[in-house]
Amino acid sequence: MTTTPQHALPSGFGARTTATQVLAGIDLNGRTAIVTGGYSGLGIETVAALAAAGAQVLVPARRPEAARAALDARGLADVKVETLDLADLGSVRAFADRFLAAGRRLDILINNAAIMASPEARVGDGWESQFATNHLGHYVLTNLLWPALVAGGGARVVALSSTGHKLSGIRFDDPQFETGYDKWLAYGQAKTADSLFAVQLDALGAGHGVRAFAVHPGGIMTELQRHLPREEMIASGWMTEDGTVNSVFKTTEQGAATATWAATSPMLDGLGGVYCEDCDIAEPTVPGSETARIRGVDAHAIDPADAARLWVLSAELTGVNAFA
């Protein structure tokens, strides 16, 4: 297997492309997709686009009643909802067991659910909540669903990362922030973990026909910001005092496009293990450039050695490894 270059194709799409546009001409009838967090923000837009293209979509949700109501309100009554709490590995295992018991194959898995810059909290075996929810929960989910992914015959897994990855690499000496918590460094580590997860999953899965991609969806105002005070968002330039959102932010339809593209585009056949943004493979970050904080992928988020090391750590923490 050759390594996919971390350089734009180019795809012909861009930052303002929508999920519906990237699916133009693509028929997903007969395909099964799972989208975590698929009932709000980017997730529900991703679900709507995949369903409109013919896919059977399943949305695992910590609050299934709320998910059902939100999907019904969007006219997505045919989308299935199941219970899943990514911070509870027992819940993850129960969901995976139910899916596998049904004998279904899985063609698309989009690990979209996330929390950002949340107050310090511990879940599982004392795990820092952002690392546990954004990375470990999805790591376990993907590994447990591995038989269904292989059965899909050409399945794709998409991990939602972010430019937040630029804030921190993996703190292998203290991944749980036991020596002092910083909400943004914790988020940065979690988003780096999401990217490295895709790198290693692709390395392990390509020989089985399963490819993986990391995705930065762009800046979008969604429920992801629920832990951020308005004053902090104003100070960061995300919005003005009167609540006007910075014009660089995408709409949710645009924000859902890159994950949808990575999950379905024929342009990516035979490729994988790369970080994508604006509906294309991203370029490596140019250190010191004016766009270094907001564009491209930093070397630490696609480093194969760190990706393999994180996989080992994740397996040790959770006791789950489909490739052991």
Side-chain angles (χ1 to χ4, degrees), residues 11-314:
S11 70
F13 297 123
R16 299 303 173 183
T17 301
T18 67
T20 299
Q21 289 171 332
V22 301
L23 282 170
I26 295 177
D27 182 3
L28 297 180
N29 279 287
R31 303 286 186 88
T32 298
I34 291 176
V35 182
T36 66
Y39 60 100
S40 66
L42 306 184
I44 199 167
E45 298 299 339
T46 303
V47 167
L50 293 173
Q56 294 181 312
V57 187
L58 173 60
V59 172
R62 184 172 57 85
R63 299 177 297 146
E65 298 84 2
R68 182 72 272 159
L71 291 164
D72 287 348
R74 281 291 300 269
L76 296 168
D78 290 339
V79 172
K80 306 300 181 185
V81 175
E82 279 271 6
T83 300
L84 170 66
D85 182 352
L86 288 165
D88 178 353
L89 297 194
S91 174
V92 178
R93 187 174 293 279
F95 168 82
D97 286 347
R98 291 193 302 271
F99 188 88
L100 295 177
R104 301 172 67 184
R105 76 179 205 176
L106 180 58
D107 303 283
I108 295 169
L109 173 59
I110 300 181
N111 293 332
N112 165 82
I115 55 175
M116 179 177 76
S118 53
E120 183 174 7
R122 302 283 156 180
V123 299
D125 292 337
W127 301 327
E128 189 278 312
S129 62
Q130 295 191 74
F131 184 68
T133 302
N134 298 353
H135 168 60
L136 290 177
H138 283 126
Y139 165 87
V140 171
L141 177 66
T142 306
N143 275 268
L144 294 178
L145 291 175
W146 182 247
L149 288 164
V150 173
R156 292 189 189 175
V157 178
V158 178
L160 271 286
S161 184
S162 161
T163 55
H165 80 267
K166 297 170 181 286
L167 300 173
S168 177
I170 304 299
R171 294 158 48 109
F172 286 107
D173 59 337
D174 184 21
Q176 311 305 343
F177 282 81
E178 294 173 352
T179 57
Y181 182 73
D182 181 295
K183 68 180 184 180
W184 283 113
L185 291 182
Y187 179 67
Q189 173 181 247
K191 293 292 100 178
T192 291
D194 290 333
S195 182
L196 292 175
F197 164 78
V199 171
Q200 184 63 5
L201 178 62
D202 191 74
L204 295 169
H208 301 272
V210 178
R211 305 310 300 257
F213 301 86
V215 161
H216 165 48
I220 309 100
M221 282 294 178
T222 68
E223 289 186 9
L224 189 64
Q225 284 89 358
R226 61 186 176 274
H227 294 295
L228 296 183
R230 180 185 178 89
E231 295 74 22
E232 185 173 353
M233 291 190 282
I234 293 171
S236 297
W238 294 7
M239 64 172 60
T240 60
E241 291 281 354
D242 66 2
T244 301
V245 176
N246 191 313
S247 61
V248 302
F249 277 63
K250 296 182 179 183
T251 65
T252 51
E253 295 88 351
Q254 293 164 349
T258 304
T260 306
W261 177 77
T264 64
S265 176
M267 299 179 196
L268 295 172
D269 287 349
L271 306 180
V274 287
Y275 175 102
C276 304
E277 64 184 5
D278 295 339
C279 302
D280 208 335
I281 298 174
E283 294 290 337
T285 302
V286 179
S289 69
E290 292 183 359
T291 60
R293 176 61 187 87
I294 58 173
R295 290 194 61 79
V297 57
D298 286 15
H300 69 253
I302 51 174
D303 180 79
D306 276 359
R309 187 180 179 189
L310 176 64
W311 193 278
V312 171
L313 173 62
S314 302

